[in-house]
Structure formats: C-alpha cells, structure tokens
Amino acid sequence: MSVAIRIQQVSKSFGAVQALDRVDLAIEPGEFFGLLGPNGAGKTTLISALAGLVRPDHGTLSVMGHDVQSDYRAARRQLGVVPQELVFDPFFTVRESLKIQSGYFGIRDNDAWIDEILENLGLTPKANANMRMLSGGMKRRVLVAQALVHRPPVIVLDEPTAGVDVELRQTLWAFIRRLNEAGHTIVLTTHYLEEAESLCSRIAMLQSGRVVALDTTANLLRRFSTHTLRLRCRGEMPADLALGAAQSGGWWSLPFDRYEDVEPLLARVREAGCSIDDLEIGKPDLEEVFIRVMQGEARGEGR
Amino acid sequence: MGHGFSTLLYKEVLRFWKVASQTVAAPVLTALLYLLIFSHVLEGHVKIHGVAYTSFLIPGLVMMSVLQNAFANSSSSLIQSKVTGNIVFVLLPPISYLEFFAAYVLAAVVRGVVVGAGVLLATCWFAPLGFAAPLWIIVFALMGGAILGSLGVIAGIWAEKFDQLAAFQNFLIMPLTFLSGVFYSINSLPPFWQQVSHWNPIFYMIDGFRHGFFGVSDASPWHSLAVVATCLALLTAFTLNLLKRGYKLRA
Ligand SMILES: Nc1ncnc2c1ncn2[C@@H]1O[C@H](COP(=O)(O)OP(=O)(O)O)[C@@H](O)[C@H]1O
Ligand SMILES: [Mg+2]
C-alpha cells in the first residue's frame, strides 16, 4: 500500500451530463494536493465518489489501499471529508454534533481530541452553542471539525474557504498545514488560486470531467507561466519586443525567464528612445497557468 | 451492530426528545381530544364485544398514536436531513445499511411507544381497562411501530420535498389508520366495507393490540400476528433492498 488515494478510470454520468470521464489519479501519503477546475468540472463528484456518496458508472477508487465499495468500512475510516455545502444539524450543539459524529465512526470517549480540534479551530467559546446560532464561518469550522473526529489519515476539503472571512482562512490553513506536517494527506479544492499555489505541492486541473493538467505546482508554473516585466512608457517599443509582448491599458507586459534578462530588456527599451514612467515585475502565478490550461483545452490543444 | 448503530439510534431518539412538546405532548393531546369528543357522543349508545365504548376506544387511540408517530419519526427525520443536506453526516461514516435501517426503525418504535404510553396514561382515567393478555399488547405495539417506522424510512427516502411526504401521509397512512377500526368494530360495518377492512394490515395491528386488553377481538390474535409478521418481513426486505442499492441516497 503505497498510495493514499488511487482513482482508476473513473467515469460518472448524470443523465446527459458526463461529470467524470475516465479520471486517473494517484495521490501519495503526506501530499498536499490541489484539485482545481471551473464550476461544473466534476471536482465535487470526484470527491463524492471517493466518499461513497456517488457510485461511479465505471472504474475504481481506494483510500489507503481500501476499495471504497467492497471495503467501504475501512475506506471511510481513513477518510475525512469537508463537504462543499454548508450543512449542519439544527437539533444539536457544536459539542453534541462532534460527539455524535465520533460515535458514527465507532469512537467512544473522544473528548480530549474534540477539545483539541475545537481549540485549534477557534471554536472553544462556541462549544455549547446550538448549531443554528452560529455564523456561516463558524458553521464551516464545525464542518471541518466533524471531518476530523476520527483522525483520518486522508482529509479532503471541498471549497472550505468559499465565502469565508480572512481570519478563518488563516486559522484554517494554519491548522491544515500542521496536520499535513504531522503526516496527513490533504486534498483541497478551491477557487482561490493563490491559496492553492501557496499550499499545494501538486495540482490536478479538471475540465468537463477530465484531468487536463497534472503536475507539481512548481512544474506547472514553469511550464505555463512566466515572469513579466510590466512597463508604462512613452515612445516606440522595439518591434521584436512588441511582437512577444502584450499591451493593455497603457501597460506593456514583456515575458522573461530569468532575472538576469531584465537589464538587457530595459536597455533595449531605452535605446529605442522610450522613456519609462512606471515599472513592475510580475511573477509566475497559478491564475495564469489555470487560464492557459483551460484555454488550451477549449482550443483542443490538450491531450 | 456496533457503536455506529447505537449512536445513530441515540441521535434519532434525542432528536425527537429535544422537541418533545411537538413530538410527544401534541399527539397525546390530540388523542385525548378524540377520546373526549367521541366518548361524549357515543358512550352509552354503543357497546362492542360487551365492552363500553370509551373502554373500547382507548386501546384504538393508543395504537393509532403508536403507528402515526412511528411513521412520523423516521419519515420526517430523513426528509429533513435530505432537504437540509445533513444526511451526509450519516452517509460518510462506516455505518452499514443494516445498521442504518435498524437505527431509524428502532427510534421510530421508541417514539411510537413513548407517545402510546403517554396516550394510555392520559386516557386510562376515563374508563375501566383490563389487561387480559399483556404480551399481545407489547408484541403488536412493537411490530406495528416497526412496520410504520419502516414505511417512514421508505417515504423519507423516496420523497424529495416535504409536500411529497405529506401526500404519502395524507393519502396512504391517514386513511389506512382511520379505516382500521380505531373508532369502531368492523363487525358494525356493511359486508362490503368489512371485506375492504380485511385487506388493511393496520386493522390487524389495532385488532390484535386491542385483544391484549379485552381478550376479545374481531379476528383471532394469531391470525392478526401472522398478517402483521408477514407485513413486517416483506417491508423489512423491501426497505433493506432500497438502502443496499443506495436508492436516492447514494447517486
Ligand atoms: N446529483 C447530480 N445530479 C445531476 N447532475 C449532477 C449531480 N451532481 C453533479 N451534477 C453535474 O455534474 C457536473 C459536475 O458537477 P460538480 O462535480 O458539482 O462540479 P464542481 O464541483 O467541479 O463544480 C455538473 O454539470 C453538475 O451539474
Ligand atoms: Mg463543487
């Protein structure tokens, strides 16, 4: 058993909608893995299939070596899922919800661990509040806590920071990072690409149910994104530079690979008689990677 | 059955107990009102199996409460969880479909029995009651509660909206319970309606339950037991099959 999550040739249709199309993924133990893609790409469906909430039409999935269908009890014990929807049980307090969730996983006397989760998520003051009384952000924290009651080695978070304030995002990521450092495998979907860029060591991009990019974050950035020298200047841009550059709102964006290339670029611009009013350096970012991967797919340049 | 099952059972019981004024006190009050009105109108006019009308009515009301509340418990819990989405909390853990079924049905039986006991306590002052064969009382209360609890699981899983569940309740459960001899002996009906009543499984639950109090009934309690046990076995098999396939729960 060398992988935390193995997804093999998984397909799923809802009527005419092909939500997943022969998805293959293997995620190693201890990885911090990002699952990205536009709305409707199939991220939630893939997570649901992993959790046994959705039955794939084709293919197999396993968690820590346990098939999610044939060995579902073991698979589910290894997996903690934070669902995308902000769901809660209005009949119970925060602590009751967590104790009940522990019981579902067969765990009695979980109070010490529950206290620790509450503390780490800043929920201690709300422990005895009824779920109905909590703000959206607090409910989201409880959802995270519920996914962790059974100390799962694999934790999947489906857009945990959607519509959530900055403070919670920071608390949440600090905690999730610690769990990852302690050896937990983390899988994350998010719309905040800068979050994914700073957290995830490897990323898969999904579009229309297919994996269209899969690589380490560093490789993706190298492959699909560049540094750019952004200039606002008066005068004529040399023709060969203008050819490789983009222009918008009075700014030129000149791509370059290494910082050593900046000086010669600036020299060329100056020699051409341009006077520079303003200057910025743009670093490669996942936003650009994402847009280029998705556009490439739309033009059929993908696999 | 592991700790997952007992936790789900506990959670389902706690759920209705936390709102006991709606889930227990209200149905007891309803049954009490039925008793006051019907016994006021009919007491002294009707004797059934040699039993005074109010005495005859009490076990019927008790059993009707058991059945209706057992159904209400599992069906409303499931539809609420589905509509609000918190059903995932029980679908994500390693709870087997058998444990799932047993927990929802047993919690329904508990609610039915608690309400039934409440109705009995509230009404037994109004007329003399015997306890001729207490074992029948217990057997029919438990089996009837389990049957309706199981029906509630089916309805709760099948319905996607509250009004679909209400339709199930208003057009199937309510007519079957009201036309089952709660308020009368089916022997007092015209032959055609007597025949129809014999196709209503709830008639046998009420009749067998009542036999436990008075030692007399429309049908033999063994006959009723056979009908009720068969219904329970068929419904259990059907519901377990739905759950095993993940019908409407696991897409
Ligand atoms: N239960 C369902 N019934 C019908 N269609 C669904 C269902 N779940 C998802 N879909 C469809 O499958 C596609 C993928 O959805 P989803 O996995 O939620 O995407 P994402 O999470 O990437 O936004 C969408 O077109 C969505 O409408
Ligand atoms: Mg989604």
Side-chain angles (χ1 to χ4, degrees):
Chain A
M1 185 201 75
S2 60
V3 292
I5 294 176
R6 186 184 292 285
I7 295 167
Q8 282 176 311
Q9 290 289 303
V10 167
S11 298
K12 176 72 186 180
S13 299
F14 296 106
V17 178
Q18 178 97 18
L20 295 174
D21 186 3
R22 284 159 293 155
V23 173
D24 275 310
L25 276 180
I27 298 171
E28 304 293 322
E31 271 201 86
F32 205 128
F33 191 91
L35 194 57
L36 307 182
N39 275 330
K43 304 179 295 293
T44 299
T45 306
L46 189 60
I47 291 170
S48 302
L50 198 63
L53 299 174
V54 155
R55 297 176 175 205
D57 303 329
H58 185 259
T60 58
L61 305 97
S62 67
V63 182
M64 301 302 276
H66 302 285
D67 187 272
V68 303
Q69 301 274 344
S70 61
D71 192 9
Y72 73 94
R73 277 178 183 267
R76 289 186 201 165
R77 261 192 273 276
Q78 310 290 322
L79 183 68
V81 176
V82 181
Q84 180 180 344
E85 302 295 332
L86 199 56
V87 295
F88 62 97
D89 195 326
F91 285 93
F92 303 113
T93 67
V94 173
R95 187 177 289 282
E96 281 171 339
S97 298
L98 297 178
K99 285 176 91 123
I100 288 170
Q101 204 64 24
S102 306
Y104 291 161
F105 282 90
I107 304 167
R108 299 158 210 266
D109 311 323
N110 205 20
D111 288 318
W113 175 236
I114 289 176
D115 285 337
E116 200 177 324
I117 304 175
L118 289 173
E119 191 60 42
N120 273 297
L121 287 167
L123 278 168
T124 308
K126 301 282 178 193
N128 297 315
N130 186 284
M131 287 302 303
R132 267 179 312 214
M133 303 301 163
L134 301 188
S135 66
M138 285 292 167
K139 286 187 184 121
R140 181 70 69 182
R141 293 182 203 211
V142 178
L143 268 186
V144 175
Q146 278 177 284
L148 299 177
V149 289
H150 56 297
R151 301 175 192 252
V154 180
I155 301 162
V156 180
L157 304 107
D158 196 354
E159 297 193 28
T161 47
V164 143
D165 56 84
V166 179
E167 191 206 339
L168 168 57
R169 281 209 232 168
Q170 281 167 355
T171 323
L172 182 63
W173 293 134
F175 185 34
I176 299 295
R177 266 209 170 103
R178 279 204 297 285
L179 289 168
N180 182 238
E181 279 154 18
H184 293 263
T185 309
I186 312 287
V187 177
L188 163 74
T189 82
T190 179
H191 277 293
Y192 300 100
L193 294 170
E194 67 278 20
E195 263 177 18
E197 187 178 330
S198 71
L199 290 162
C200 302
S201 52
R202 216 155 60 95
I203 283 171
M205 292 192 186
L206 240 64
Q207 191 179 39
S208 311
R210 289 189 306 128
V211 178
V212 292
L214 171 66
D215 211 332
T216 63
T217 312
N219 279 345
L220 284 173
L221 288 171
R222 232 186 334 265
R223 251 181 41 215
F224 291 100
S225 181
T226 52
H227 290 82
T228 51
L229 179 64
R230 292 169 34 83
L231 297 174
R232 205 152 52 93
C233 57
R234 276 166 294 143
E236 196 71 12
M237 182 64 61
D240 59 323
L241 291 188
L243 210 61
Q247 195 182 17
S248 75
W251 284 86
W252 285 93
S253 297
L254 307 170
F256 68 93
D257 291 328
R258 293 165 303 147
Y259 286 110
E260 295 93 285
D261 300 339
V262 174
E263 270 191 307
L265 267 178
L266 282 173
R268 294 279 325 275
V269 172
R270 245 192 345 261
E271 279 158 19
C274 276
S275 68
I276 296 169
D277 290 337
D278 207 345
L279 182 151
E280 280 176 358
I281 286 190
K283 297 193 166 193
D285 68 9
L286 206 55
E287 186 103 28
E288 195 188 343
V289 177
F290 186 79
I291 289 166
R292 292 191 44 189
V293 168
M294 292 305 149
Q295 283 173 346
E297 272 309 304
R299 286 199 303 270
E301 288 170 13
R303 298 176 303 172
Chain B
M1 296 281 157
H3 190 51
F5 155 75
S6 48
T7 306
L8 185 52
L9 172 59
Y10 166 78
K11 177 265 206 178
E12 280 298 293
V13 171
L14 194 60
R15 193 194 74 92
F16 81 76
W17 193 248
K18 282 203 171 200
V19 285
S21 61
Q22 297 160 47
T23 56
V24 179
V28 170
L29 182 66
T30 307
L32 190 60
L33 290 174
Y34 276 128
L35 182 87
L36 295 178
I37 292 162
F38 278 83
S39 67
H40 176 76
V41 175
L42 294 175
E43 181 67 35
H45 299 282
V46 189
K47 253 185 183 311
I48 302 164
H49 299 306
V51 177
Y53 181 72
T54 306
S55 299
F56 173 88
L57 180 59
I58 288 172
L61 286 173
V62 170
M63 191 58 169
M64 184 176 83
S65 306
V66 171
L67 301 178
Q68 286 180 346
N69 284 279
F71 177 84
N73 205 64
S74 46
S75 62
S76 66
S77 175
L78 279 166
I79 187 98
Q80 273 176 22
S81 288
K82 284 197 337 181
V83 169
T84 61
N86 68 37
I87 189 89
V88 294
F89 297 149
V90 293
L91 296 179
L92 291 172
I95 295 174
S96 71
Y97 69 93
L98 210 72
E99 291 176 307
F100 185 99
F101 172 80
Y104 276 94
V105 171
L106 267 179
V109 173
V110 171
R111 158 103 170 260
V113 169
V114 167
V115 175
V119 173
L120 187 61
L121 260 175
T123 54
C124 64
W125 316 101
F126 292 87
L129 276 183
F131 290 90
L135 205 56
W136 285 128
I137 297 178
I138 294 166
V139 165
F140 281 101
L142 295 184
M143 291 180 90
I147 287 175
L148 273 286
S150 192
L151 271 173
V153 171
I154 295 171
I157 289 175
W158 166 78
E160 276 152 30
K161 292 181 246 147
F162 285 102
D163 50 348
Q164 287 176 325
L165 181 62
F168 198 101
Q169 194 151 17
N170 293 333
F171 294 105
L172 188 70
I173 305 299
M174 288 301 260
L176 284 181
T177 40
F178 276 103
L179 301 176
S180 62
V182 171
F183 298 100
Y184 51 82
S185 160
I186 62 160
N187 285 332
S188 59
L189 292 176
F192 172 76
W193 287 108
Q194 274 190 42
Q195 280 306 309
V196 172
S197 297
H198 278 115
W199 288 98
N200 179 0
I202 294 183
F203 156 73
Y204 295 95
M205 300 176 204
I206 306 250
D207 198 56
F209 185 73
R210 201 174 257 139
H211 185 95
F213 287 85
F214 306 121
V216 286
S217 48
D218 290 342
S220 134
W222 292 104
H223 180 118
S224 296
L225 180 67
V227 173
V228 170
T230 307
C231 282
L232 181 57
L234 290 177
L235 264 177
T236 300
F238 182 77
T239 316
L240 283 176
N241 183 261
L242 287 187
L243 291 171
K244 188 178 179 188
R245 288 192 286 122
Y247 176 73
K248 289 207 177 182
L249 289 179
R250 300 183 194 271

